[in-house]
Amino acid sequence: MKQLDPDNIPQHVAIIMDGNGRWAKQKGKMRIFGHKNAVNAVRQSVGYALKMGIKHLTLYAFSQENWGRPETEVSSLMNLFMQALDLEVGKLHKNNICLKILGDVSQFSENLQEKIKKAEKLTENNTALMLNIAANYSGCWDILQATKQLAKQVKQGQLEPEHIDQQHFQQVLVTQDQPPVDLLIRTSGEQRISNFLLWQIAYAEFYFTDVLWPDFDQHIFEQALISYQQRHRRFGGCE
């Protein structure tokens, strides 16, 4: 068994948390039961990332496409989101974790939007870990909103089109000055990106596991990091 090298830890890990519904179905329960039990996997992942010195952790919680799910499930997910903010933000702040919600929050209820603002404000100066929760997010939307921001700057005479480069573009993505993703993990055995951080994962290493998200724990996270450390990242260069 390979051992984890504490000197080769990725700066930015992103996780597509998949399989809650299937986990619940296996237990003869409603899908929302899986979502409720997913919270513990989130806690474990955040705790492990903090322990290992990962500086940025991005979790895909709710995509823009997820609005197409049954209304009862979406409503339950929104309630869970609000409950999690109420219960967890104080703990995040105590552990010096900065919380940022990535996505179009304007579609959420006013109550949820207010909770998000308060949580982000409370934790904005924390430095141990940047915890990004992608909610009502899509990679295509992110690129589109960034393009619109740059177009507005050009229209207002603040920027010349020929001066637009990757750095300019990156600064108007929702992740702004955060580093690109080093490692992308997806649970449940599915092997696709699902419209997640399309720009930010350009040179990410991928790790897929059959484990359903509610069963994801620190041991599986460690195996993903060990797999990452066995890769030779060339970024388009030669051996």
Side-chain angles (χ1 to χ4, degrees), residues 90-103:
K91 299 173 188 175
L92 296 178
H93 185 49
K94 183 178 179 180
N95 285 285
N96 196 24
I97 297 171
C98 178
L99 176 68
K100 184 173 177 61
I101 306 302
L102 308 182

Side-chain angles (χ1 to χ4, degrees), residues 2 64 81 92 109 134 170 177:
K2 291 282 186 178
Q64 292 189 349
F81 195 7
L92 296 178
S109 69
Q170 187 168 311
D177 57 354

Side-chain angles (χ1 to χ4, degrees), residues 129-149:
L129 170 68
M130 171 66 77
L131 174 60
N132 301 307
I133 303 296
N136 197 27
Y137 175 87
S138 90
C140 292
W141 165 85
D142 194 5
I143 292 171
L144 183 59
Q145 66 84 28
T147 304
K148 288 178 179 178
Q149 287 192 59

Side-chain angles (χ1 to χ4, degrees), residues 41-235:
V42 172
R43 289 194 191 104
Q44 289 206 50
S45 298
V46 172
Y48 186 70
L50 190 64
K51 173 185 174 183
M52 297 310 300
I54 294 168
K55 301 305 292 184
H56 301 263
L57 178 65
T58 303
L59 305 179
Y60 203 8
F62 188 84
S63 73
Q64 292 189 349
E65 293 78 14
N66 287 156
W67 291 108
R69 293 185 176 187
E71 185 176 344
T72 53
E73 182 176 350
V74 171
S75 178
S76 295
L77 283 168
M78 293 301 107
N79 287 332
L80 279 175
F81 195 7
M82 287 193 285
Q83 290 172 18
L85 287 172
D86 286 335
L87 294 172
E88 304 296 333
V89 170
K91 299 173 188 175
L92 296 178
H93 185 49
K94 183 178 179 180
N95 285 285
N96 196 24
I97 297 171
C98 178
L99 176 68
K100 184 173 177 61
I101 306 302
L102 308 182
D104 183 5
V105 300
S106 66
Q107 288 187 262
F108 294 144
S109 69
E110 290 185 7
N111 188 17
L112 180 51
Q113 289 184 53
E114 187 61 30
K115 287 181 183 294
I116 289 171
K117 287 179 184 177
K118 288 182 178 179
E120 291 183 331
K121 182 66 176 176
L122 176 66
T123 65
E124 64 181 355
N125 295 318
N126 294 339
T127 58
L129 170 68
M130 171 66 77
L131 174 60
N132 301 307
I133 303 296
N136 197 27
Y137 175 87
S138 90
C140 292
W141 165 85
D142 194 5
I143 292 171
L144 183 59
Q145 66 84 28
T147 304
K148 288 178 179 178
Q149 287 192 59
L150 290 177
K152 186 176 180 180
Q153 291 178 26
V154 170
K155 183 178 181 180
Q156 294 175 343
Q158 300 171 352
L159 182 66
E160 295 296 327
E162 59 269 23
H163 293 159
I164 297 173
D165 56 16
Q166 287 193 26
Q167 186 175 5
H168 277 108
F169 199 84
Q170 187 168 311
Q171 285 298 314
V172 288
L173 293 167
V174 293
T175 45
Q176 295 181 326
D177 57 354
Q178 297 188 50
V181 174
D182 297 304
L183 173 63
L184 174 69
I185 301 170
R186 181 167 188 151
T187 59
S188 87
E190 302 293 349
Q191 298 186 17
R192 55 179 178 270
I193 298 168
S194 294
N195 203 359
F196 185 43
L197 299 176
L198 299 179
W199 176 280
Q200 296 89 338
I201 64 170
Y203 274 102
E205 300 295 327
F206 289 6
Y207 181 84
F208 300 108
T209 174
D210 290 334
V211 171
L212 302 176
W213 177 249
D215 290 329
F216 189 86
D217 57 20
Q218 296 189 18
H219 173 71
I220 301 163
F221 204 154
E222 180 183 54
Q223 294 309 306
L225 294 185
I226 290 173
S227 175
Y228 166 83
Q229 292 179 351
Q230 293 173 335
R231 318 283 178 89
H232 178 47
R233 306 185 74 198
R234 297 188 298 276
F235 299 97

